[in-house]
Amino acid sequence: MESESPTETKKGKSKTPKKAKESILKQKSPAEFFAENKNIAGFDNPGKCLYTTVRELVENALDSAEAISELPVIEITIEEIVKSKFNSMIGLVDRERVDEALYDDYETAKAREKRLAKEARAQEIQAKNAALGKKVKEHAVSKSSKGRGEASFYRVTCRDNGRGMPHDDIPNMFGRVLSGTKYGLKQTRGKFGLGAKMALIWSKMSTGLPIEISSSMRGQNYLSFCRLDIDIHRNIPHIHLHEKRDNKDKWHGAEIQVVIEGNWTTYRSKILHYMRQMAVITPYAQFLFKFVSDAPDKNVTIKFARRTDVMPPVPVETKHHPSSVDILLIKRLIAETSKQNLMQFLQHEFVNIGKPLAERLIGEMGPEFSPKMAVKSLTDQQIVRIHQLFRQAKFDDPSGDCLSPAGEYNLRLGIIKELHPDMVATYSGSAQVFEGHPFIVEAGVSVGGKDVKQGLNIFRFANRIPLLFEQGGDVVTRTALKRISWNNYKINQTQDKIGVFVSIVSTKIPFKGTGKEYIGDDISEIASAVKSAIQQCCIQLKSKIVKKMQAREQQERKRNLSKYIPDASNAVYNVLQEMAKSHASKKKRYEEGDADILQKVSDHLITKETLYEKLTQHVEKVDYEMALEYATQTGVREEPREDIYLQSLDGKGNFFDFHSPIFVFRLFL
């Protein structure tokens, strides 16, 4: 008799193995990806979300005004919304707590008694220290009165006088991630098509409320109004209301309003610091910042006034440099080009490839290439050959004509307007290149000023955007701290109030990390240009500081000499009186010249006052001669006087601006 298998003894039949579960492919929309990874766009926590929202809206507003060469007027308002008001906005009825112990801020009677006793002891110690004249430290609150889960909400509104948006494009411009107008190769403040869209995503995640947009373009007699949110999973706008309204004031620009969760308390200083730095780098813009709260003592209103009406040129889109492209980009350019043959393609789609160079390149590619071959017929292997040649061949560097730096004039104005330094120097370098991308470094160094701490105060800008976070690893910080010998320029790195301003503009800013908060220290071309720009400012300051030191030494020398004039006058006069008595009594005879002086002393024609006056004149003469000799030996020349800024004419007359690195000459017609 055969033995039964274990499976047969259990159920009388063998088990069939289960089929493996089929894998199901899933796809995420770009909006869903950024909602789950919002830290990539700088939305790390509620406080940072509030800061980043303000930053994105302000920068979009500046871009919009500059695009039509309009002097920017930007109003940014943050309104605090208390919990009861927020609940009424979303139609939620407030409910009293039923189970107190359920909440994070619940405190037992014993814990409350212990906390109050601890706070009483702390207050007693503070009172004793205050009575003894000791410095009193503020006592930290042991338990926050606000629970961990109770959020703070804010309505952020940004209004500008820019070009506005076409009525039909508004939904996609705000409700579709990775769609925008900033994808060409040019210097822009933004790159990813996120900006206000991330603020909308954060609003949907934290409050569920839609964003509101009002916009009007120049010459339009209507105003576009749109209320929308975003369908995260499909990455399409969900429109609540989209209509045209009367534009009675003939206003043009955009006003964006979004309600989000945030934290003003922890990020207040960062937001205000950002606005101040933005006023430094764009002195031609006018900013009005308001924080509005139900508690009047928390309200903030700051106006950053315009200092000049001279704007930098609008950055222009440029073509790719051959050394900066990859295989995918070459394929995309081939797919999008309107040119038929290879010769035309090379000349039209890339900078610094003229007809002679294009012919040489095609000849170098091999016999299967010809100038008149159809560019669309290129095989993958042939495209790789073109890419290899582009990487190995020598091309002229691209020019910086497509870039729009702030300009020494504006940088200097911004520093003077916001910091009020004792002295300032600025420098703008010529265009340089890394990986085929042109860049320009501008720098300013100031000494002294209002609200400036002792030591180095570093201000970093990339494409005219202030960078506030992750300062330690930035190329500007490392250069200022480690590569500049400040003592060589008569600047004390620890005691003087030093402002270091560096602005880098490029068609590609090599940010480190996804947050776009700092520029790495590993690109030698940029590091060298930053160091050189700061040094050029320091050289200018050194001559001013030496001149100031010379003046101070001159005053000190004069003060020391003048201090002894009264004593010296008395001593000399007393000696002369004794000599005059001896001469009168014929005890001692003097030569004719000396006798005349002694006779004048006897006749009171020479007095103490006479000697005092003569010694003072002598000190003035010696002081002048020594200062002149010092200036001749050290080569100190007369420095130009401080700039004089004239108010522009109110009229709308025609004029031309002639730009120089350090001034702008305006010719009115």
Side-chain angles (χ1 to χ4, degrees), residues 181-201:
T181 59
K182 298 182 179 181
Y183 292 123
L185 186 65
K186 69 174 180 177
Q187 172 194 327
T188 57
R189 288 190 171 92
K191 264 298 188 199
F192 299 145
L194 288 173
K197 298 164 197 173
M198 273 307 303
L200 174 54
I201 289 173

Side-chain angles (χ1 to χ4, degrees), residues 611-622:
L611 293 175
Y612 186 94
E613 184 181 341
K614 292 292 182 184
L615 281 172
T616 302
Q617 290 175 0
H618 181 70
V619 166
E620 293 282 354
K621 183 182 176 185
V622 169

Side-chain angles (χ1 to χ4, degrees), residues 22-302:
E22 291 183 11
S23 60
I24 301 172
L25 290 176
K26 292 185 178 180
Q27 186 175 347
K28 285 184 179 177
S29 74
E32 197 172 4
F33 172 80
F34 282 107
E36 293 176 2
N37 301 277
K38 58 185 184 299
N39 59 300
I40 291 176
F43 285 73
D44 303 62
N45 54 65
K48 186 83 179 291
C49 289
L50 181 62
Y51 163 80
T52 307
T53 298
V54 170
R55 170 181 166 169
E56 294 288 359
L57 295 183
V58 167
E59 287 162 14
N60 285 348
L62 281 171
D63 283 339
S64 178
E66 289 172 4
I68 56 172
S69 299
E70 184 86 16
L71 289 167
V73 178
I74 297 169
E75 296 178 18
I76 187 89
T77 304
I78 303 175
E79 181 187 350
E80 187 176 34
I81 299 174
V82 295
K83 182 184 173 183
S84 58
K85 185 176 179 181
F86 173 74
N87 286 350
S88 68
M89 287 171 64
I90 62 173
L92 182 65
V93 178
D94 283 338
R95 177 178 167 80
E96 294 294 327
R97 292 183 180 184
V98 178
D99 186 354
E100 287 284 350
L102 183 67
Y103 294 89
D104 181 61
D105 58 357
Y106 173 71
E107 194 175 29
T108 63
K110 189 176 179 181
R112 183 173 181 276
E113 187 179 336
K114 189 176 178 181
R115 176 175 60 82
L116 291 174
K118 187 178 177 181
E119 288 177 4
R121 283 196 302 273
Q123 287 176 1
E124 191 178 335
I125 292 168
Q126 280 184 335
K128 284 181 180 178
N129 288 340
L132 294 170
K134 292 182 181 178
K135 193 174 181 181
V136 179
K137 245 185 168 183
E138 279 194 32
H139 177 63
V141 179
S142 58
K143 181 94 172 173
S144 174
S145 60
K146 183 187 289 186
R148 188 177 55 218
E150 189 170 330
S152 298
F153 301 103
Y154 302 89
R155 180 188 283 114
V156 182
T157 307
C158 184
R159 182 182 175 90
D160 64 61
N161 62 334
R163 66 180 170 190
M165 293 163 279
H167 180 81
D168 295 331
D169 291 346
I170 291 175
N172 281 329
M173 292 181 80
F174 286 89
R176 194 185 297 272
V177 173
L178 298 184
S179 65
T181 59
K182 298 182 179 181
Y183 292 123
L185 186 65
K186 69 174 180 177
Q187 172 194 327
T188 57
R189 288 190 171 92
K191 264 298 188 199
F192 299 145
L194 288 173
K197 298 164 197 173
M198 273 307 303
L200 174 54
I201 289 173
W202 174 241
S203 173
K204 190 173 179 69
M205 293 172 71
S206 60
T207 69
L209 290 171
I211 193 171
E212 292 187 354
I213 306 109
S214 299
S215 173
S216 182
M217 303 183 75
R218 271 181 174 170
Q220 282 184 353
N221 57 4
Y222 66 88
L223 184 148
S224 302
F225 179 81
C226 188
R227 184 185 297 119
L228 61 85
D229 62 27
I230 186 169
D231 185 326
I232 298 286
H233 302 294
R234 294 195 294 162
N235 191 31
I236 59 172
H238 175 218
I239 302 169
H240 296 240
L241 179 64
H242 191 195
E243 63 182 12
K244 295 179 180 179
R245 298 177 175 178
D246 288 337
N247 185 13
K248 296 176 182 177
D249 300 330
K250 303 298 181 185
W251 165 72
H252 63 84
E255 181 177 283
I256 300 163
Q257 189 176 102
V258 59
V259 179
I260 58 171
E261 182 186 345
N263 190 328
W264 167 255
T265 307
T266 55
Y267 272 77
R268 177 184 188 275
S269 61
K270 284 290 184 187
I271 292 171
L272 295 179
H273 196 43
Y274 168 80
M275 294 303 301
R276 188 187 190 197
Q277 288 202 31
M278 189 57 88
V280 168
I281 202 68
T282 52
Y284 52 87
Q286 177 177 299
F287 299 98
L288 179 62
F289 177 85
K290 292 180 182 179
F291 178 79
V292 181
S293 170
D294 288 343
D297 57 324
K298 289 173 68 177
N299 289 349
V300 176
T301 301
I302 304 175

Side-chain angles (χ1 to χ4, degrees), residues 349-404:
E349 298 296 340
F350 301 96
V351 295
N352 295 356
I353 297 184
K355 187 175 180 181
L357 181 56
E359 289 174 345
R360 291 174 63 193
L361 288 170
I362 294 169
E364 188 66 22
M365 289 174 191
E368 68 271 26
F369 292 87
S370 69
K372 293 190 180 293
M373 71 182 294
V375 70
K376 305 282 186 185
S377 68
L378 288 169
T379 65
D380 288 349
Q381 292 80 7
Q382 288 174 322
I383 290 172
V384 171
R385 174 64 186 138
I386 293 172
H387 178 243
Q388 289 175 345
L389 183 58
F390 277 179
R391 294 188 67 171
Q392 296 168 354
K394 182 181 178 182
F395 299 95
D396 291 337
D397 290 335
S399 71
D401 296 344
C402 61
L403 301 177
S404 174

